[in-house]
């Protein structure tokens, strides 16, 4: 009943705002939980929503923070800062998100103050906010946090340093890359991947490839890929047989950003790896490059015994504009795995041109795909209308209504004109299927076309169908 009442209130819109706000002030936690999502975007609602930040129910407090973010009033920022020490992590997350969404002239000042608090929870949340906005004045508190024994504070500070334009920020990251803590070194490697490419950064990341900790190696490899440091390709390839699975995946991901011959050869070797995760990552990397010499590898992988591998390979093949692409996608539409079949139809659906339309039409006989194929045919891409009209010229009693349904779903002027054209040019089955769709247009032109067909069409079933809809 509460949900039904809430739904009715949402239908009333602004007319119900006064009653909703009164109920927020006077209601219990359960009522507030139902009503907060209904509060409109009015500044007048801010005080009543802010009062919900003090509710005993954590879910209500989190909803209140989300609602203040939606309303968009910076006046709520100070109250949201008070919730950064909430005992419930959901509330803290919602408060941080709302503060980041709202921003304000006071946000920087409050964040800098909170970052110097003795409360570790408040400092950590404040560092996240400073990092998000990249406040230049926040560099000092970030650097101070880098010297803190609390690893989580160091992590929060490291995350924000790449977003502050000051040479000292990069210096601090390079120092952290040699920290005794493996977690801190890994965080620094990850952050260096978001800086600008320069010799000292590349040198640090290359050293990270040989770190004893696999996560440090992982992030060093990933960062070199993000920086597109092609000079590091051979060093990255050397980790292709790393003992840690995540490092092997990072190697493949990094190589996908590079265009050297050694990188491409390594990706092709990885595509045949016994490690399923490495193999799939390599296939995705090959697809990103769209190199013609990688297509045979992808087509072969699309025949793998593993459905997940076939799916990944198919998504890579779909990136190519090659003669082999459409046949491969069409073959995959008959795959034994439903996710592969659905993906194949989706990839064909987004391809323009008459051949793609013809491929979709050929799949209408598969009952498991029929609805998805009709929806795909209804996408108004280039070549779709000519392909549908050509198919309707020879359509039978089964496919004709499906093709007409796709045309009708387009709801475009050219599709409506095509429906009218069907009454004169389609097969008998196509003309019969077009009659109710043309009648549904409800225009004078459509009625005149139906009247002509009711008297002149050579098929008695078409004439009978036209007279029936005209009589209604």
């Amino acid at each position: 009943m509460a949900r039904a009442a809430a739904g009715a209130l949402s239908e009333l819109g602004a007319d119900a705002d006064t009653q909703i706000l009164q109920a927020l002030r006077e209601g219990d936690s359960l009522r507030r939980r139902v009503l907060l999502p209904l509060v409109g975007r009015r500044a007048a609602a801010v005080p009543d929503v802010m009062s919900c930040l003090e509710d005993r129910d954590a879910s209500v407090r989190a909803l209140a923070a989300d609602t203040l973010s939606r309303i968009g009033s910076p006046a709520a920022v100070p109250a949201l800062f008070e919730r950064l020490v909430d005992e419930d992590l959901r509330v803290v997350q919602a408060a941080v998100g709302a503060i980041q969404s709202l921003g304000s002239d006071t946000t920087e000042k409050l964040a800098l103050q909170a970052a110097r608090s003795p409360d570790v929870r408040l400092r950590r949340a404040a560092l996240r906010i400073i990092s998000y906005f990249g406040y230049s004045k926040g560099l000092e508190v970030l650097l101070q946090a880098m010297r803190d024994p609390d690893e989580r504070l160091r992590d929060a500070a490291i995350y924000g340093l790449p977003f502050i334009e000051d040479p000292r920020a990069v210096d601090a990251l390079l120092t952290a890359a040699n920290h005794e803590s493996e977690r801190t070194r890994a965080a620094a490697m990850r952050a260096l991947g978001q800086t600008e490419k320069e010799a000292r950064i590349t040198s640090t990341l290359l050293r990270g490839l040989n770190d004893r900790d696999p996560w440090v190696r992982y992030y060093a490899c990933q960062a070199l890929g993000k920086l597109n440091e092609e000079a590091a390709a051979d060093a990255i390839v050397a980790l292709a047989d790393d003992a840690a699975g995540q490092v092997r995946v990072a190697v493949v991901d990094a190589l996908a950003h590079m265009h050297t011959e050694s990188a491409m050869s390594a990706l092709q070797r990885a595509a045949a790896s016994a490690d399923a995760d490495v193999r799939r990552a390599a296939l995705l990397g090959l697809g990103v490059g769209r190199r013609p010499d990688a297509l045979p590898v992808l087509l072969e992988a699309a025949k793998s015994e593993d459905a997940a591998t076939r799916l990944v390979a198919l998504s890579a093949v779909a990136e190519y504009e090659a003669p082999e692409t459409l046949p491969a996608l069409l073959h995959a539409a008959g795959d034994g795995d439903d996710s592969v079949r659905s993906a194949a139809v989706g990839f064909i659906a987004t391809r323009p041109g008459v051949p793609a339309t013809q491929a979709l039409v050929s799949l209408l006989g598969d009952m498991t795909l029929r609805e998805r194929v009709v929806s795909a045919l209804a996408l108004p891409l280039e070549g779709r209308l000519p392909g549908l009209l050509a198919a309707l010229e020879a359509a039978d009693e089964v496919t004709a209504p499906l093709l007409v349904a796709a045309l009708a779903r387009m709801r475009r002027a050219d599709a409506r004109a095509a429906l009218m054209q069907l009454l004169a040019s389609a097969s008998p089955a196509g003309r019969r299927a077009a009659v109710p769709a043309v009648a549904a247009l409800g225009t004078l032109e459509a009625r005149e076309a139906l009247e002509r067909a009711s008297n002149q069409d050579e098929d008695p079933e078409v004439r009978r169908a036209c007279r029936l809809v005209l009589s209604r």
Side-chain angles (χ1 to χ4, degrees), residues 2 8 19 35 48 54 73 164 176 190 212 218 233 256 276 320 373 405 454:
Q19 289 81 2
L35 292 175
D48 293 313
E54 304 296 332
S73 173
I164 296 182
R190 179 179 56 193
R212 65 179 181 272
Y218 171 87
Y320 283 79
V373 171
S454 70

Side-chain angles (χ1 to χ4, degrees), residues 25-105:
R25 288 191 296 272
E26 301 172 357
D28 57 13
S29 298
L30 178 60
R31 179 168 293 186
R32 286 176 166 179
R33 196 160 58 237
V34 173
L35 292 175
L36 277 168
L38 305 181
V39 175
R41 298 186 179 185
R42 295 172 52 196
V46 170
D48 293 313
V49 177
M50 283 172 53
S51 69
C52 296
L53 290 173
E54 304 296 332
D55 195 277
R56 64 182 181 180
D57 187 330
S59 62
V60 173
R61 299 196 299 274
L63 274 173
D66 291 338
T67 303
L68 290 168
S69 174
R70 187 176 73 249
I71 293 172
S73 173
V77 168
L80 288 165
F81 264 91
E82 295 178 7
R83 296 265 57 90
L84 295 181
V85 291
D86 196 281
E87 61 186 18
D88 192 287
L89 185 58
R90 292 173 299 169
V91 180
V92 175
Q93 297 280 14
V96 169
I99 291 169
Q100 292 173 343
S101 171
L102 294 172
S104 77
D105 295 336

Side-chain angles (χ1 to χ4, degrees), residues 294-361:
L295 184 55
V297 177
L298 296 171
L299 291 171
E300 184 62 30
K303 303 173 186 176
S304 168
E305 294 182 359
D306 177 59
T309 300
R310 295 199 302 277
L311 187 59
V312 169
L314 199 65
S315 66
V317 169
E319 296 293 324
Y320 283 79
E321 297 293 337
E324 302 93 332
T325 300
L326 189 56
L329 296 176
L330 189 56
H331 179 269
D335 195 276
D337 184 86
D338 184 62
S339 61
V340 176
R341 290 198 304 275
S342 296
V345 172
F347 291 136
I348 299 173
T350 58
R351 299 183 74 83
V354 172
T357 301
Q358 293 172 333
L360 289 170
V361 171

